[in-house]
C-alpha cells in the first residue's frame, strides 16, 4: 500500500513538473508570435472560452484567478478577445500568506506590473475603447494579459465575446453573425480546446455554446462543458443528467460550478467566500453530493491544467515541424529580397551579379540543369525537344503528299505536259511540278516551328529569376526588353535559313537519290496495283471480235464519242458528253441505220433536233448550225468552251500513269520530309537557341551595364522594402520560437492521442482561508473519470462519469 502511494506521489510530482514546464513555454511562444499579429500562421495550443452573453464566463475566469479583474455590466462586456495567461509563482514564505504577491502584465505595456486588480480592469476597458470606442463595438484584435500568482495553476485561456442576439449601441445589425465568425476562427483550429460555458437556468439542450462547439468539434474530442448557475435553477429541476453526459455527451465531460450572483458582486463578496459556499452547495444537495468531488472551480482548474498539458504534448511534434518549415521558407523569402546597397561600386557589383546569374540560369533552364526543376510538367529545353519531335516531326509524318491531289488533277497535269500529242511514256514535267507544290507546303509549318521555339524562349526568360528580380521591377522590364529584341534578331536569320532550305529542295529534284524509287520500279509496282484492282473489281468490257457496226446503238455511240474525244487530245466539252440514254434513242421509221449514229450524233444530234430553218432563226451567230438541202448537209462545229476537263472514264494507260505518278511523288516526298525534319531543328537551334545562350550575357553587358542607368534600374518599390522588413521580423520571431522549443524537457516528446486524467496530483494550491476537504486534498489517490479513450471515435459515446 505504501508502495502504491509512493508511486502515485511520484506520478503527481512528474505531472506537476511537466505542467510547470510546457505551459509557460507555450505561453512564451504565444507572446513571441503575438508580435506578428494576424500575420502569424502557426497554430498554438490554447483554451477558448465561449458562451452566450451573461452566461457566467467572466465569473468562471475570475474564480480561476481568485480575484476580480474583468469588466462587468448588464450589456456585452467582453468586446475584444482577451488572452489570459495564468502563471503559478512560488510563494515567498509558505507560512506567511501576506507575503505572497499577485500581479498582472499587459503585452502592450511590457515590463509594467499591475498589482492593483482594479487597475487591471480599468486598463482592459481603456484598451478596448482605444480600439473599438465606448459604444459597444467589437474587434478581433487581442488583448494579452498575464496573471502571476501562487494561487493559480498554469492555464492559458482566450475569453471571447459572448454570443448576443440583439445589437445595441453602434453595433451592426449582423452582430451575432460577426461574433460567431470570430469565435469560429479560434475554435475551428485543431490546436484549440473549447470551454463551452452554459447557464443551468436556460434551456441546456439549445445552448449556444454547445451548438457552436459542436460545429467546430463534431466528435467532441476538444470540448469541455461548464454548467454555471446551478444554484438558481427552477425548483424541482436539476442538471445531473447533463453533468453525467447523458443529454449531450462530451469526451472530456462536464464540470458544474456555482458563481457569485450580481448581489454578491455588488456587496463585494470575496471569491474565497464564494468558493466555500460553492463546496457547501454541492455537498448539501443530495442530487449533486456524489458528484461533489468532480464539481467546483478548483476541480475545473485541475481539469483544465491536466487536459492542456496533455494537449500540448500531443501537438508539440507537429508544432516543431511547422516552425522549422516556416523558418526555412521565410529565410529563403528574406534572402530573395537581398540587402540595400547605396554606393556606386556596390550597385555596379550587384547589377553585374544579377546579369551573370540570369544568363547562367537561362542557359541552365535550356540545358535541363535548373535547380528548381519541375516534376509536374515539362519545362525549359524539354519543351523545345517536345516541339521538335512531337509537334513538328509528327505533323509532317502525318501528311500524305497526294491527299490534295485527285486522279483528275494528276491526269490533267500529265496531259498538259504532252502538248498536242500523246506521250509514249510518263512525262517528267508533271512529276516535278507536283512535287514542288508538295515541298512548298513544308514552308509554313517550318516557320511555325521557329515561332514556337521563339515563344518558348520568351516564356523561359519570364520564368527566370522571378523572386530575385521582383525587388527591381524597372531592371526586370529593361532585361525583358533586351532579351525580347535579341530573340527577335535571332528569329530573323532562322527564318531566312528555313526559306533557303525549302528553296534548295524545290530548286533541284534529285531523282538519282539512292532512296528514290525510280521510274522502272514505279511502273512495275503500278502494273501490279492495276492488275490487283482488276481482279478485285472486274470492269465489264465488250466482247472481243464484236464489230462496231454490229454492236448495240448505245455501245456504238459511246465508242465513237471516246474515239473522237481521244483524237482531239483527250478532252471533250461538257456539252458533248451526254448520258447514254440520250444516245441510245433510235430514229424514226423514215431514217436508215447508217444515219442513226453518224457524225451528227457524236455532237449530240437526235431525231428530235430542229430543222435547218429553225436553227438559222433561233441560234445566235457563232453557235453550231446545221444547213440541209434536199441533196446535201453542212456541218457546223460548236466553239470549244473556256474550260475543258478530262473524260470521266480512265483508260488503262491513264490509270497506270496516275499510279506511277503517285508512287514517285510519295517516294520523293519522304526523302524531302526527312531532310526537312533534320535540317529545320538544326537551323533553329543554331541561329536562335544556341546563339542566345552564347551571346545573351554580352548583350546584357552592352545594353544595361552603364553607370548612368544604375540608380534607375536598381530602384526598389516601397512594397519590397515593406516585405523585407516584414520577413526580417518574421524570421526573428521564428528563430526565437525555435530557440524556445529547445527548452522543452525530453519527456514531452512522447505522447499518444487522448488525454488520460488518471492522476489527480497536479499541485493544486490551497486558497488561503478555505477549509481543508477532500476536494482540495492534493495527496489523495482519487481518480477522475474524465478519460478519453484513443479507440473511442463517436462524440455520443456514453461516459462512466462526468
Amino acid at each position: 500500500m505504501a508502495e502504491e502511494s509512493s508511486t502515485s506521489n511520484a506520478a503527481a510530482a512528474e505531472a506537476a513538473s511537466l505542467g510547470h514546464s510546457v505551459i509557460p513555454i507555450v505561453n512564451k511562444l504565444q507572446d513571441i508570435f503575438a508580435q506578428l499579429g494576424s500575420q502569424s500562421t502557426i497554430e498554438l495550443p490554447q483554451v477558448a472560452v465561449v458562451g452566450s452573453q451573461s452566461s457566467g464566463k467572466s465569473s468562471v475566469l475570475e474564480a480561476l484567478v481568485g480575484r476580480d479583474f474583468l469588466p462587468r455590466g448588464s450589456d456585452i462586456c467582453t468586446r475584444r478577445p482577451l488572452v489570459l495567461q495564468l502563471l503559478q509563482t512560488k510563494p515567498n514564505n509558505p507560512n506567511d500568506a501576506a507575503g505572497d504577491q499577485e500581479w498582472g502584465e499587459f503585452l502592450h505595456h511590457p515590463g509594467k506590473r499591475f498589482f492593483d486588480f482594479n487597475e487591471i480592469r480599468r486598463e482592459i476597458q481603456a484598451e478596448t475603447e482605444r480600439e473599438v470606442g465606448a459604444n459597444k463595438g467589437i474587434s478581433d484584435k487581442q488583448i494579452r494579459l498575464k496573471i502571476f500568482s501562487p494561487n493559480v495553476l498554469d492555464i492559458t485561456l482566450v475569453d471571447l465575446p459572448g454570443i448576443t442576439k440583439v445589437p445595441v449601441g453602434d453595433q451592426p445589425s449582423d452582430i451575432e453573425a460577426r461574433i460567431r465568425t470570430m469565435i469560429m476562427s479560434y475554435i475551428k483550429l485543431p490546436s484549440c480546446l473549447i470551454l463551452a460555458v452554459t447557464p443551468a437556468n436556460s434551456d441546456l439542450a439549445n445552448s449556444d455554446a454547445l451548438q457552436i462547439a459542436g460545429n467546430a468539434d463534431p466528435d467532441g474530442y476538444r470540448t469541455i462543458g461548464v454548467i454555471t448557475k446551478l444554484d438558481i435553477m427552477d425548483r424541482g429541476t436539476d442538471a445531473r443528467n447533463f453533468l453525467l453526459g447523458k443529454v449531450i455527451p462530451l469526451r472530456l465531460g462536464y464540470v458544474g460550478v456555482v458563481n457569485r450572483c450580481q448581489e454578491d458582486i455588488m456587496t463585494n463578496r470575496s471569491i474565497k467566500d464564494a468558493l466555500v459556499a460553492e463546496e457547501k452547495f454541492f455537498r448539501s444537495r443530495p442530487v449533486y453530493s456524489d458528484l461533489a468531488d468532480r464539481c467546483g472551480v478548483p476541480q475545473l482548474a485541475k481539469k483544465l491544467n491536466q487536459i492542456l498539458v496533455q494537449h500540448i504534448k500531443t501537438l508539440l511534434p507537429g508544432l516543431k515541424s511547422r516552425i522549422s518549415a516556416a523558418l526555412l521558407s521565410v529565410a529563403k523569402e528574406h534572402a530573395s529580397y537581398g540587402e540595400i546597397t547605396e554606393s556606386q561600386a556596390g550597385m555596379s557589383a550587384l547589377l553585374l551579379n544579377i546579369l551573370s546569374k540570369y544568363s547562367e540560369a537561362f542557359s541552365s533552364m535550356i540545358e535541363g540543369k535548373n535547380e528548381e526543376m519541375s516534376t509536374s510538367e515539362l519545362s525549359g529545353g524539354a519543351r523545345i525537344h517536345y516541339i521538335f519531335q512531337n509537334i513538328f516531326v509528327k505533323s509532317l509524318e502525318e501528311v500524305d503528299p497526294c491527299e490534295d491531289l485527285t486522279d483528275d488533277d494528276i491526269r490533267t497535269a500529265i496531259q498538259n505536259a504532252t502538248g498536242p500529242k500523246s506521250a509514249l511514256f510518263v512525262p517528267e514535267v508533271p512529276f516535278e511540278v507536283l512535287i514542288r507544290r508538295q515541298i512548298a507546303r513544308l514552308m509554313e509549318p517550318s516557320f511555325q516551328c521557329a515561332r514556337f521555339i521563339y515563344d518558348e524562349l520568351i516564356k523561359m526568360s519570364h520564368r527566370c529569376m522571378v523572386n530575385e528580380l521582383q525587388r527591381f521591377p524597372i531592371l526586370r522590364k529593361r532585361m525583358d526588353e533586351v532579351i525580347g529584341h535579341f530573340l527577335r534578331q535571332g528569329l530573323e536569320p532562322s527564318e531566312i535559313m528555313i526559306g533557303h532550305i525549302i528553296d534548295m529542295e524545290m530548286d533541284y529534284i534529285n531523282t538519282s537519290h539512292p532512296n528514290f524509287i525510280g521510274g522502272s520500279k514505279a511502273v512495275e509496282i503500278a502494273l501490279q496495283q492495276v492488275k490487283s484492282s482488276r481482279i478485285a473489281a472486274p470492269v465489264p468490257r465488250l466482247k472481243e471480235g464484236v464489230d462496231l457496226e454490229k454492236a448495240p446503238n448505245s455501245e456504238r455511240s459511246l465508242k465513237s464519242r471516246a474515239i473522237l474525244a481521244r483524237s482531239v487530245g483527250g478532252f471533250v466539252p461538257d456539252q458533248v458528253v451526254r448520258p447514254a440514254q440520250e444516245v441510245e434513242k433510235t430514229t424514226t421509221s423514215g431514217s436508215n441505220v447508217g444515219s442513226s449514229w453518224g457524225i451528227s450524233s457524236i455532237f449530240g444530234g437526235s431525231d428530235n433536233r430542229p430543222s435547218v430553218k429553225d436553227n438559222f432563226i433561233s441560234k445566235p451567230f457563232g453557235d453550231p448550225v446545221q444547213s440541209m438541202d434536199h441533196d446535201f448537209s453542212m456541218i457546223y462545229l460548236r466553239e470549244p468552251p473556256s474550260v475543258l476537263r478530262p473524260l470521266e472514264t480512265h483508260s488503262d494507260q491513264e490509270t497506270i500513269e496516275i499510279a506511277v505518278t503517285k508512287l514517285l511523288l510519295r517516294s520523293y516526298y519522304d526523302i524531302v520530309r526527312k531532310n526537312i525534319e533534320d535540317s529545320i531543328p538544326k537551323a533553329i537551334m543554331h541561329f536562335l537557341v544556341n546563339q542566345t545562350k552564347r551571346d545573351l550575357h554580352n548583350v546584357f553587358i552592352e545594353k544595361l551595364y552603364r553607370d548612368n542607368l544604375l540608380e534607375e534600374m536598381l530602384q526598389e518599390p516601397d512594397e519590397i522594402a515593406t516585405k523585407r522588413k516584414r520577413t526580417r521580423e518574421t524570421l526573428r520571431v521564428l528563430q526565437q520560437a525555435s530557440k524556445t522549443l529547445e527548452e522543452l524537457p525530453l519527456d514531452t516528446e512522447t505522447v499518444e492521442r487522448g488525454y488520460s486524467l488518471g492522476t489527480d496530483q497536479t499541485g493544486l494550491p490551497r486558497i488561503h482561508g478555505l477549509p481543508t476537504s477532500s476536494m482540495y486534498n492534493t495527496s489523495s489517490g482519487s481518480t477522475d473519470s474524465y478519460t478519453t479513450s484513443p479507440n473511442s471515435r463517436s462524440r455520443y459515446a456514453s461516459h462512466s462519469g462526468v
Side-chain angles (χ1 to χ4, degrees), residues 318-494:
L319 180 62
K320 286 185 175 182
S321 300
R322 288 194 299 273
I323 291 179
S324 298
L327 188 60
L328 292 175
S329 176
V330 174
K332 184 177 180 180
E333 181 184 357
H334 182 263
S336 69
Y337 298 134
E339 297 298 333
I340 301 176
T341 305
E342 296 181 355
S343 65
Q344 187 78 6
M347 288 191 293
S348 298
L350 176 60
L351 178 60
L352 183 60
N353 182 49
I354 291 175
L355 298 179
S356 300
K357 286 179 63 178
Y358 184 94
S359 302
E360 293 175 2
F362 187 79
S363 298
S364 299
M365 192 176 293
I366 294 175
E367 295 171 0
K369 300 177 181 178
N370 187 21
E371 295 180 358
E372 299 180 357
M373 184 181 300
S374 174
T375 57
S376 59
E377 62 176 346
L378 296 180
S379 61
R383 290 181 63 90
I384 294 177
H385 180 267
Y386 183 89
I387 292 172
F388 284 149
Q389 300 302 320
N390 293 75
I391 296 180
F392 179 65
V393 171
K394 190 173 182 180
S395 297
L396 296 189
E397 289 179 348
E398 292 175 352
V399 174
D400 181 3
C402 298
E403 64 181 354
D404 62 338
L405 290 176
T406 64
D407 290 353
D408 287 342
D409 294 336
I410 297 175
R411 187 163 54 136
T412 301
I414 293 173
Q415 293 183 3
N416 285 336
T418 60
K421 56 185 179 181
S422 299
L424 299 178
F425 304 100
V426 178
E428 294 183 5
V429 174
F431 161 71
E432 294 186 358
V433 170
L434 295 176
I435 196 60
R436 284 193 178 94
R437 184 191 301 177
Q438 301 307 312
I439 295 174
R441 295 175 62 198
L442 301 176
M443 183 80 75
E444 185 57 33
S446 300
F447 285 149
Q448 284 184 347
C449 182
R451 286 190 288 270
F452 286 164
I453 302 302
Y454 167 81
D455 292 340
E456 285 300 322
L457 293 176
I458 291 292
K459 292 176 184 177
M460 277 189 272
S461 69
H462 291 164
R463 298 192 189 104
C464 196
M465 291 181 63
V466 175
N467 294 331
E468 292 82 350
L469 286 173
Q470 66 177 347
R471 58 184 291 214
F472 302 122
I474 298 178
L475 175 60
R476 171 96 241 189
K477 181 180 178 182
R478 290 290 186 90
M479 292 177 68
D480 288 342
E481 291 174 354
V482 169
I483 193 171
H485 180 69
F486 183 52
L487 288 173
R488 284 192 296 272
Q489 288 181 335
L491 179 61
E492 183 178 353
S494 300

Side-chain angles (χ1 to χ4, degrees), residues 180 184 187-188 209-218 222 795:
R180 286 181 178 272
M184 284 298 296
I187 66 176
K188 70 180 181 181
L210 292 176
Q211 180 189 28
I212 195 170
N215 293 335
D217 179 32
R222 301 182 283 115
R795 176 186 178 187

Side-chain angles (χ1 to χ4, degrees), residues 681-747:
K682 288 180 178 179
I684 296 173
M685 289 297 297
H686 175 74
F687 288 101
L688 185 58
V689 180
N690 292 332
Q691 183 72 16
T692 303
K693 287 169 49 181
R694 286 190 295 264
D695 296 343
L696 180 59
H697 184 262
N698 295 334
V699 172
F700 277 151
I701 298 298
E702 178 185 353
K703 300 291 185 182
L704 300 178
Y705 192 64
R706 299 177 183 177
D707 293 340
N708 61 332
L709 298 177
L710 288 177
E711 187 173 352
E712 177 189 358
M713 291 189 299
L714 296 181
Q715 183 178 0
E716 287 185 342
D718 294 339
E719 61 179 13
I720 296 299
T722 303
K723 288 180 179 179
R724 183 191 293 110
K725 182 179 179 180
R726 175 181 57 78
T727 54
R728 184 188 293 116
E729 180 66 17
T730 305
L731 186 61
R732 182 185 64 80
V733 167
L734 290 171
Q735 288 171 343
Q736 289 181 357
S738 180
K739 185 177 180 180
T740 301
L741 285 176
E742 295 175 359
E743 302 173 9
L744 286 170
L746 295 178
D747 55 357

Side-chain angles (χ1 to χ4, degrees), residues 598-600 603 624-628 632-638:
I599 296 177
S600 60
F603 288 93
V625 180
Q626 294 182 353
S627 175
M628 183 176 292
F632 63 93
S633 62
M634 296 183 64
I635 300 175
Y636 293 90
L637 301 180
R638 295 174 183 268

